[in-house]
Structures are given as structure tokens and as C-alpha cells.
Amino acid sequence: MISTNNDSPLLVKISFNKLFEIYEEYAKSDNALLVAKANKILDIQKKYPELREGFSDLSLLDEYKEEIEFILQDSFSEILTKNEIKAASVPFRNVIFNMSDRFKKILKNAGEDYELKIRNLPEGQMYILACIVILKAHYNIDLDFRRPLYYDIPDVNGIVRHYRIMYNADFTEIVPTEAAIDISEKDIEELLENFDNLDLWKEKFPPNSWIDKGFVISNIFDVTADVSISELKSTLLGSNEKETDNFIEEFENIFQSLFNIPDLKVGFAAYDANENAFEKVPGKAINSYLLNQEDSVLCIDSLCETSYAKIFNEKEYYAFSDIDRLFELSEGKNPYKNFKEQGFKSVILAPIANNGELLGILELVSPRVRELNSVNANKLIDVMPYLITSILRSKSEEANLLEAIIQHECTSIHESVYWKFEEEARRFHEETSQGIQTSFQEIVFKDVYPLYGQIDIKASSGARNDAIQKDLMIQLSYLNEIFNKVLVHEKLPVYEEIQFRVRAHLSSIKDELLTHSEQTILDFAKEEVHPILNHIGKQHESVEVFIEEYYSMIDDATNSIYEHRKNYDESVMLINKRLAAVIDEKQFKAQEMYPHYFERYKTDGVEHNMYIGASMVQNKAYHNIYLNNLRLWQLQVMCDMENAYYGLKPELPVKLDVASLILVYNSSLSIRFRMDEKRFDVDGTYNARYEIIKKRLDKSVIKGTRERLTQPGKIAIVYSQKKDEREYLRYISFLQSKGYFTSNVEIVELEGLQGVSGLKAIRAEVLYKKGKNSEETYTYEDLMEELKN
């Protein structure tokens, strides 16, 4: 039985009444043959009146199968049954009958477990769709709600083929029952404004209040190629996840359907014009079968002469229908060698080019001979535009990503102030597009408060010079020893003169390394000594061993022994990396508290600048509480950086020390983005005082002494105003309760700097934690003792 439920306003009855009415007209024709056929069909409806009156019992379709086939013989030509895909069906129900032979074969190949269903049939909207059919059929109100409907049916190889369904509804009629409600113009207007209101539609069209009497003819067409192209377009242009395995699987499924090859594989090789090479797309899941396991191969080594000319000169696809035969003919050359090794027997290489510029190569490969060839390669003509568009978009996205990386890594336009640059760029663009002569205005932020901090490596110049001195002494000592051995075999005065100069250089740097000493000695070794050593090595085999040992210690980049300097440089690099990582990570939360400009840079240690103020933010109120908060945050982070460093110190090749400093500047100032230097700087002569203080602070000493302000284990906070002193003493007191500082806090007055006087400083002793999660703490002296042990 065709079920009756509350999911439709229609009671469905299979009926051939509309068809019989047509044959009743044919029975009046002057054509004797047509009249005879019409009368035979009408005799059937007289014998079986339920075929006209309608029935809901689906078992009658089998009972009257022969009669129904005879009635439908004009609509279902026996001559075309093996070619047409066709069936009669029941409206709004998944019921089909009187199928053509070709449709029966398609369903048989799909397998016994396959259930025929219409793809994307809007089940939640079927009730409303039935109401729209009633409005059109009974009230002549045409609401275009038609959508393409498809069957997705697997073939005998398991490839899903797509069939579009075109309904002929000439043989249906919609009639109201006593339960039907007459619809007014006002009702129609209300329904048109409330498409998603199912309750309203049910109110106007109660369940089972209308009868749908008749049948429809389903004309079905294989549109696999069209659907594959459409799906390819959606996949390429709509997906942002091209590197996922799922994307590649879907991508291959589309081409498998298009070429009707269930195990067809798809690859891609990008083209690098600079190197004239094909390369695997980095980070993507898509393979390149042309390159096999290589990441990059020169084009001339990847292709044969014919395929190279076809792809590069003509920008046309090239098909290899029999890889094994071509492998033998080419005596095992590429590309046949790579394809054969991977088990492929036929291949299509399709160049993807735009305006004559090669972007890459699409690779289709099959494990069977002749499955891919120059004939079916023509199927790619319709898909190439979408592949080109997708690759161009990917290249554009990659360019944008690279630009973003460059901006992030190589410029000082911090994201907190990016809006201001964007605003100015928009103004500049709008005016230039209107033909107005304009220029990019300088970006200035007024009335902002600066914060500066640094963790400096103590005595870094001395440590660097000590490392250079040791390396040079080792190098000169080794050269001296080589000449001692040479002079045993060949006592030339010129060798004695060179050794004399080697010893003179060695003597000159024993006590002190002068500024020019390093370069002088390295030039001497490179330009005068090394050429002679090469000659000596050829003349005296016994000395050659020592010369080779000497060269094995020479660093290629510096042309010198680079051992102690390498340890020093690695130590500085590790320190900077660890300290920068700490403040960078903490910055994310600081920006969430209130946006502000931040920059940090690495020297012998890590310095940072911050600016905060109302002019630096959009649509957000500013209060000095945010300045106070950022100052407290900065002080806490400096403690964290101190702890991070002394946790790292045992791992360093050179055990250096660091000292921390914060500058408190209580006046607001203006900063301007210097276009030539691509960075922010203070604006105006008065504000320049801030920069002067910053540059001279690390040399400052306690007044009346020679003691440097910055000391390991302590954070120095430099200020000039009494209220700043009170503010930071409050912060220190708070952080003492949190275990960041000891009770050892001192206030000192600084010796006047050139052009700057009246500065004071708070020096607070940092409390160090043994481990990240440890509650055990140390003073600096305790920590040094612990590190020694």
C-alpha cells in the first residue's frame, strides 16, 4: 500500500485516467490504425476500471504488469528500451515501475544491496513542496521551486555514476477532498512570506486533504561527466583544505568517474620557472608520479624530447598509452622509467598553463595499457579552466601568505596599530583611484606612554674578546708549530721571516686584544700563510699531515679557527632565543588585557619597547589604569625572563650572566613611523630626551661610586619622579607576596649622565625558582652556589 500519513497534504493514487482521456480522443481520429490501437487500450480500462479510478495497493502493479506495459507502449518504445533510461513512477514516493531495459541493467549492476534513492531530496521540505504543487495545479500560481534531482548509482566496477531525472507530470491531476481548505489571496501572501513555517503550511493544507491521482514518467540521463566537472569546480574553488587526504580522495573519485577507471590515480607537479624544474608541492598530500620519490627534478630530465616539446611549446596534453612499449623503445629513459617502476601502464600528462605561462602538470595514471590515451584525454578540455583558476588562486594565497610572513618577520608594523596603516592605505587608494594627486601620510600616535626594558648580557664585549683571543692564539700556535717542522726539512729564510711574524702576532695578543688585531691576523693568515702552506704540503709529506689537521680546524665561513667564538655565539643565540620566547608568549595575554604597541629586538640580550595610549586603539576607552597594569605586567615578565635564563645557564657552552633594567618615563610623548627605516621613533626634540636616556642608561653608575647600576640577580628600575617610586614600590611589595622578589630592595641615586641628571633607581633582588613548578626558591647567591655544585 502507498502509505497515508501526516507527512504530506496529498493522498497518492496510481491512475492512468489522463492517459485514457488522450486515447479517447485518438479513438475519434480518421486514422484507422490509431483508432484500433486506442480502442484496444480503452478496452483494458473497461475490463480493469481501477486502472482509471486509481489505486493505492502497490501489489496491483505486479498484477496488472502486462496491461500497464501495453497501456504505456507509446510512451515507452520497445525499439528504444535498450538505449533510453526511463521509468514510470509515483509522485512524491520512491516507487518506480515499467522500467526500460537499460534502466533495469543499470540497477542490476549496482548490486542487490543498492537502494534507489533521489539525491538531496529535501525531506524536511517535502510537505511544503507538495503544497506548492497544489498551488500550481489547482490555483494556477506558479512558484518556481524546481531543483535538479539526481540518482547516484554505482556501476559494475563500483564507480558512482550520476543520472539526472526529468519528470513528465502531464498524466497527474490534483483534486481536493472534503477536508481541503479553500485558499484566499491573503493566505497566499502569508505563505509566500513564511516558507519555513511548516505549521502554517499544514494549517492551510491539512494532511491528506488533497488527492494526487496519476503517474509521472521519469526520463533519466547519464550526466556523470557534467556532475564530475561541477564537483571538481566545487572541490577546487570551494575547499580550503587542499592538503588533506580527504580532499585528495574526493579529487581522485571525480576523475575516476569522469574516465570510468576505478583505480585511476591523480598526481600534480608544480613548475618552478626559475630553476626550469618540476617540484612536489610542499606540505600537500597530493603525490607526483612523474617525480616518483624526488622532491624536485629538472624538466629536461623528467620528460622525453617529444613530450617536453608538446608540454612546453604547444601547452597541450601528452598521452602514453603503453608505458612498457615506450620503456623498451627509449631504452629505459624517463619519464617511462619512473612510471614503469611504480606499476603504471598508461599515463596522461596535461600542462596547466595561463596566458602561456606553465603553472604545473596534472598527472593521470592507470595500471592498465591503453586505458588512458590521446582520445579520452580530450575529456580534460572541460575541466582545465577550473584547474587553472584553482592553481592561480593557490598561488595568490601563497603570495599573500609570504607577504604576511615578511611583514610579520621583517617589519615593525605591529598588529595592534595595523588598523591605522590600513585606514591610511584606504584613504590613499580612494584618492588615487579618483585621480587625486596624493601621498601616503606619515603615521603618528600622540600622547602615548612609553615602557622600556632590557635584559643585557653582562660583560659581553669582554667575553667575546676573550673567545676571539683564545681562537687566534690556538691558530697562531698551530702555525708556529707547522713552521718549526718545515724548517727542519727546508731552512729557508723566508720561512723564518713568516714564523717571526706569526710569533710577533702571538705575542701581541697574549695580554690584550686590540680592535684591529683580529682582522689583521686573519688577513695575514689567509693572504700570506695559507698559500705557502699549500706549497709546503706538496713538497713535504711528513708536514702535510699537520697541515691537513690545521685545515680541518679552520671554519669555512670565517677562514679561521672558530671554536671559542662559536661557543660564545651559540650561548648568546640560546639566551636571546629563550628570553624572546618568554616575552613573546606573555605578550598574547597582555594584548588581550589592553591593546598596545610592542616591539622587541635581540642584541647581546633582549630589549623591548611598548607604547600605550588612547590614540593607539579603535573604539575602546582608555584609562591610565591600563598603563599601571602594563607596568606591573612588565615587571612580572622581567622576573620570569630572569628565571628562564638561569634555568638555561647550566646548558650554555659559555656561562654568561645577565642583568635587567626598566626605564619609567612618566610623561606622554608622540611616536612617528619612519618610512625610510620602517620603524617607530619618538617625535620631536623634547621627546628625544627619552631616547637619550635609554641609550646611556646601561653605562650608568651609583652616585659617588664606580659601581654599575645593573647587577646580576637584581632588576633596576630607573625613574625621576617620586610618585613613580611609590608606584613601583607598591608593585614590588605585591610581587614579593607572590614570590618574585626577596626583601632586599634598595633605592639609589645615579651619577649624572651627559645631558641627563636627577635620575634614581630601585634595585630589587629577584627570587629564583628551582624549577618551573617548584616551590623552592633561591637568591642569586644561592643560585650561583647551586650551579657550581
Side-chain angles (χ1 to χ4, degrees):
M1 294 291 291
I2 299 176
S3 63
T4 59
N5 52 48
N6 293 335
D7 291 335
S8 176
L10 293 169
L11 284 167
V12 178
K13 288 188 174 183
I14 301 173
S15 167
F16 302 95
N17 177 57
K18 298 288 283 186
L19 189 60
F20 288 136
E21 287 179 353
I22 293 171
Y23 281 109
E24 286 173 343
E25 292 297 317
Y26 288 170
K28 301 173 186 178
S29 171
D30 295 332
N31 187 323
L33 292 175
L34 185 59
V35 170
K37 179 190 284 187
N39 285 331
K40 285 183 180 180
I41 290 173
L42 292 173
D43 286 343
I44 291 175
Q45 62 93 24
K46 290 176 183 176
K47 187 175 180 181
Y48 305 105
E50 54 266 50
L51 293 177
R52 183 161 206 161
E53 294 167 0
F55 57 89
S56 299
D57 186 353
L58 295 179
S59 65
L60 296 181
L61 288 173
D62 290 327
E63 185 175 336
Y64 298 134
K65 181 180 179 182
E66 292 183 4
E67 288 78 10
I68 291 172
E69 286 179 356
F70 188 78
I71 292 169
L72 296 176
Q73 62 180 287
D74 287 335
S75 302
F76 291 79
S77 171
E78 186 65 27
I79 293 174
L80 300 176
T81 189
K82 295 188 184 301
N83 180 271
E84 290 185 331
I85 310 172
K86 200 170 188 178
S89 60
V90 178
F92 302 104
R93 297 292 188 274
N94 199 31
V95 176
I96 60 173
F97 58 95
N98 205 66
M99 291 178 285
S100 66
D101 286 353
R102 184 178 174 190
F103 195 17
K104 290 176 184 175
K105 185 178 180 181
I106 288 170
L107 293 179
K108 180 181 178 182
N109 289 339
E112 294 180 0
D113 296 334
Y114 176 74
E115 182 181 355
L116 187 67
K117 282 186 178 181
I118 298 174
R119 182 216 304 174
N120 293 334
L121 194 64
E123 295 182 7
Q125 298 173 352
M126 283 300 293
Y127 196 102
I128 297 172
L129 178 59
C131 296
I132 290 172
V133 170
I134 296 169
L135 285 172
K136 181 178 180 181
H138 193 78
Y139 294 97
N140 201 30
I141 297 171
D142 190 3
L143 302 177
D144 191 359
F145 192 65
R146 288 171 294 182
R147 297 173 61 239
L149 299 175
Y150 298 90
Y151 288 132
D152 298 322
I153 307 174
D155 65 12
V156 69
N157 294 316
I159 295 175
V160 176
R161 304 196 66 79
H162 309 285
Y163 301 88
R164 182 166 182 180
I165 311 161
M166 304 291 286
Y167 286 122
N168 182 342
D170 291 345
F171 308 107
T172 61
E173 49 190 321
I174 306 292
V175 294
T177 68
E178 293 181 356
I181 298 172
D182 196 34
I183 302 298
S184 66
E185 284 292 327
K186 184 179 179 182
D187 293 331
I188 293 170
E189 289 180 8
E190 188 178 3
L191 290 168
L192 291 179
E193 293 175 359
N194 294 276
F195 173 79
D196 293 324
N197 190 341
L198 182 59
D199 292 335
L200 178 64
W201 288 89
K202 285 188 174 183
E203 177 189 327
K204 306 301 180 183
F205 299 94
N208 302 322
S209 60
W210 293 76
I211 296 175
D212 184 0
K213 184 179 175 183
F215 72 100
V216 296
I217 295 175
S218 302
N219 294 289
I220 304 167
F221 304 92
D222 189 339
V223 291
T224 301
D226 294 336
V227 171
S228 295
I229 293 170
S230 177
E231 288 180 348
L232 180 68
K233 178 182 177 182
S234 300
T235 302
L236 290 175
L237 303 185
S239 174
N240 291 318
E241 301 296 333
K242 292 188 174 62
E243 63 271 20
T244 63
D245 292 335
N246 189 50
F247 167 81
I248 301 304
E249 184 179 346
E250 291 176 3
F251 191 64
E252 284 190 338
N253 287 342
I254 292 166
F255 280 95
Q256 288 166 1
S257 294
L258 186 63
F259 282 85
N260 199 27
I261 301 174
D263 49 0
L264 180 140
K265 298 290 183 184
V266 181
F268 177 78
Y271 175 62
D272 182 352
N274 294 325
E275 300 292 335
N276 193 29
F278 293 123
E279 57 186 19
K280 190 176 184 295
V281 181
K284 307 287 182 178
I286 192 164
N287 288 320
S288 173
Y289 303 105
L290 177 66
L291 302 182
N292 204 348
Q293 300 299 319
E294 299 294 328
D295 291 330
S296 178
V297 177
L298 292 175
C299 299
I300 198 71
D301 297 331
S302 304
L303 302 169
C304 63
E305 187 176 335
T306 306
S307 58
Y308 185 94
K310 195 83 169 176
I311 287 169
F312 278 89
N313 299 337
E314 301 176 33
K315 302 294 188 298
E316 291 186 6
Y317 63 81
Y318 196 81
F320 311 96
S321 60
D322 189 341
I323 291 293
D324 289 342
R325 181 177 66 85
L326 294 169
F327 177 80
E328 296 297 330
L329 289 174
S330 70
E331 298 180 350
K333 294 180 181 178
N334 272 329
Y336 318 111
K337 178 176 177 289
N338 277 346
F339 292 134
K340 183 176 176 63
E341 286 177 355
Q342 296 170 85
F344 301 122
K345 305 294 186 182
S346 57
V347 175
I348 294 174
L349 298 180
I352 300 172
N354 181 58
N355 295 328
E357 178 190 352
L358 185 65
L359 305 174
I361 286 190
L362 177 72
E363 311 158 4
L364 304 181
V365 295
S366 166
R368 285 171 290 280
V369 175
R370 299 191 185 92
E371 268 196 340
L372 294 171
N373 50 68
S374 63
V375 177
N376 60 12
N378 284 280
K379 291 184 177 184
L380 293 173
I381 292 172
D382 295 322
V383 307
M384 278 302 176
Y386 305 116
L387 289 168
I388 291 169
T389 302
S390 175
I391 291 171
L392 286 174
R393 188 181 72 163
S394 293
K395 287 175 75 71
S396 176
E397 289 173 351
E398 182 181 26
N400 290 338
L401 177 61
L402 292 176
E403 185 179 342
I405 291 170
I406 290 169
Q407 178 176 304
H408 182 267
E409 298 295 334
C410 305
T411 73
S412 299
I413 303 176
H414 191 257
E415 59 186 31
S416 63
V417 295
Y418 187 81
W419 65 271
K420 188 72 173 179
F421 289 84
E422 190 175 45
E423 190 179 79
E424 175 59 23
R426 188 175 289 111
R427 180 204 63 79
F428 178 81
H429 173 67
E430 288 174 356
E431 291 190 4
T432 52
S433 62
Q434 295 170 19
I436 301 172
Q437 190 171 0
T438 186
S439 60
F440 198 91
Q441 302 297 317
E442 287 189 317
I443 305 297
V444 179
F445 293 100
K446 297 181 178 180
D447 296 322
V448 296
Y449 291 90
L451 295 91
Y452 171 76
Q454 71 170 40
I455 294 190
D456 187 44
I457 297 174
K458 294 292 290 180
S460 57
S461 297
R464 182 187 294 107
N465 287 341
D466 183 57
I468 294 171
Q469 185 182 30
K470 287 178 180 176
D471 282 339
L472 290 176
M473 289 182 71
I474 292 171
Q475 185 170 356
L476 290 169
S477 297
Y478 216 95
L479 288 173
N480 182 58
E481 187 60 30
I482 288 174
F483 279 100
N484 280 338
K485 295 182 183 300
V486 171
L487 289 168
V488 171
H489 299 283
E490 193 174 7
K491 199 171 180 64
L492 295 179
V494 69
Y495 291 162
E496 292 180 359
E497 190 273 336
I498 292 173
Q499 185 182 41
F500 170 76
R501 283 193 285 161
V502 168
R503 290 174 174 176
H505 283 305
L506 187 58
S507 177
S508 71
I509 64 172
K510 269 186 179 179
D511 298 323
E512 184 181 10
L513 183 71
L514 300 176
T515 306
H516 64 277
S517 297
E518 179 185 12
Q519 194 59 50
T520 301
I521 292 170
L522 293 180
D523 289 344
F524 166 66
K526 179 182 177 182
E527 295 170 9
E528 299 190 52
V529 180
H530 289 175
I532 294 173
L533 292 184
N534 296 333
H535 168 73
I536 292 171
K538 294 175 183 177
Q539 299 297 315
H540 305 287
E541 291 184 6
S542 61
V543 184
E544 186 180 15
V545 177
F546 295 97
I547 294 174
E548 287 177 355
E549 186 178 340
Y550 166 78
Y551 276 126
S552 70
M553 295 189 294
I554 298 297
D555 177 70
D556 292 334
T558 62
N559 210 33
S560 65
I561 289 179
Y562 182 61
E563 188 62 35
H564 292 87
R565 274 176 292 175
K566 182 181 179 183
N567 289 338
Y568 172 81
D569 290 341
E570 283 187 1
S571 298
V572 172
M573 183 270 293
L574 290 170
I575 292 168
N576 287 345
K577 187 175 180 180
R578 178 67 62 88
L579 296 180
V582 173
I583 195 167
D584 286 349
E585 181 184 350
K586 302 285 185 181
Q587 252 294 298
F588 288 112
K589 288 190 176 180
Q591 291 291 343
E592 289 175 2
M593 289 186 278
Y594 194 87
H596 57 278
Y597 180 80
F598 169 81
E599 64 179 359
R600 63 117 180 97
Y601 38 95
K602 303 171 185 175
T603 52
D604 285 349
V606 174
E607 299 178 50
H608 66 269
N609 286 312
M610 295 184 287
Y611 299 98
I612 188 170
S615 64
M616 305 197 83
V617 292
Q618 269 184 315
N619 307 319
K620 192 164 187 175
Y622 174 77
H623 189 280
N624 275 350
I625 190 69
Y626 296 116
L627 170 62
N628 302 140
N629 183 72
L630 193 58
R631 285 175 169 175
L632 176 58
W633 173 88
Q634 181 191 35
L635 184 57
Q636 184 173 334
V637 170
M638 295 288 278
C639 292
D640 291 335
M641 293 170 75
E642 282 268 352
N643 269 278
Y645 168 70
Y646 284 105
L648 172 69
K649 186 174 181 178
E651 304 170 19
L652 297 176
V654 180
K655 306 297 188 285
L656 301 166
D657 267 320
V658 299
S660 300
L661 179 145
I662 290 174
L663 172 61
V664 184
Y665 199 77
N666 205 33
S667 300
S668 65
L669 45 76
S670 296
I671 58 172
R672 181 185 301 270
F673 188 78
R674 306 292 182 189
M675 295 295 181
D676 53 345
E677 298 180 19
K678 297 293 184 285
R679 67 180 185 87
F680 277 103
D681 203 353
V682 294
D683 190 38
T685 305
Y686 175 76
N687 293 331
R689 181 174 183 269
Y690 171 71
E691 289 295 335
I692 293 171
I693 296 173
K694 272 172 48 178
K695 290 175 181 176
R696 296 175 181 171
L697 261 184
D698 62 339
K699 306 296 183 185
S700 58
V701 296
I702 307 299
K703 191 170 184 178
T705 73
R706 299 182 66 182
E707 181 186 346
R708 293 284 289 268
L709 168 64
T710 54
Q711 295 293 328
K714 296 179 179 181
I715 294 179
I717 305 163
V718 179
Y719 60 93
S720 61
Q721 303 291 323
K722 189 68 176 178
K723 63 178 181 178
D724 296 330
E725 177 185 302
R726 290 194 295 267
E727 180 182 347
Y728 273 86
L729 287 174
R730 289 201 311 271
Y731 298 157
I732 291 169
S733 177
F734 169 70
L735 292 176
Q736 282 172 336
S737 70
K738 297 282 187 178
Y740 284 88
F741 291 108
T742 71
S743 58
N744 184 7
V745 178
E746 58 181 328
I747 297 174
V748 296
E749 192 173 342
L750 303 185
E751 196 71 65
L753 303 171
Q754 184 180 356
V756 181
S757 61
L759 295 179
K760 289 186 173 183
I762 301 170
R763 287 203 300 198
E765 187 178 38
V766 178
L767 201 55
Y768 297 94
K769 293 185 178 179
K770 189 171 185 179
K772 191 171 182 181
N773 301 313
S774 174
E775 295 299 322
E776 191 174 355
T777 58
Y778 298 86
T779 64
Y780 176 76
E781 288 76 13
D782 295 335
L783 186 63
M784 292 302 101
E785 286 300 319
E786 179 74 17
L787 292 176
K788 287 178 184 177
N789 299 330

